[in-house]
Amino acid sequence: ETEDIEEGMLLRLRVVGGGCSGFLYDLYFDERAEFDREYSVRGVKIVVDEMSLMYLVGTEIDYVEGLEGSKFVVNNPNATTTCGCGASFSI
């Protein structure tokens, strides 16, 4: 069962501290805040806060479906190391 997403909600990508490599990607639906940067990728609106943006410059996000299920894949050229599951990284 999926939750209803309210109109005006956008996909938020942010970087938070934690994980085995130091930083984690956090992806969820949210409203746009005053200082957010908004991007449109294949018709999907994504917002990023200014603090996270400095870690995400040049980052590519893809949604993939495979044998293991479906997931978002983040390709961050700023990351110097990543953990085995790809959920955390360091700069």
Side-chain angles (χ1 to χ4, degrees), residues 21-59:
S21 294
F23 294 104
L24 291 170
Y25 300 110
D26 194 13
L27 195 60
Y28 58 97
F29 289 100
D30 196 12
E31 295 179 350
R32 189 178 194 283
E34 183 178 358
F35 296 106
D36 283 342
R37 299 282 181 97
E38 186 174 317
Y39 303 92
S40 182
V41 180
R42 297 183 184 158
V44 176
K45 291 185 178 181
I46 299 174
V47 290
V48 180
D49 63 86
E50 288 198 10
M51 182 64 80
S52 296
L53 188 60
M54 67 181 182
Y55 297 107
L56 297 170
V57 172
T59 296

Side-chain angles (χ1 to χ4, degrees), residues 3-10 29-31:
E3 294 181 31
D4 290 330
I5 300 169
E6 293 181 30
E7 189 171 333
M9 299 293 271
L10 306 167
F29 289 100
D30 196 12
E31 295 179 350

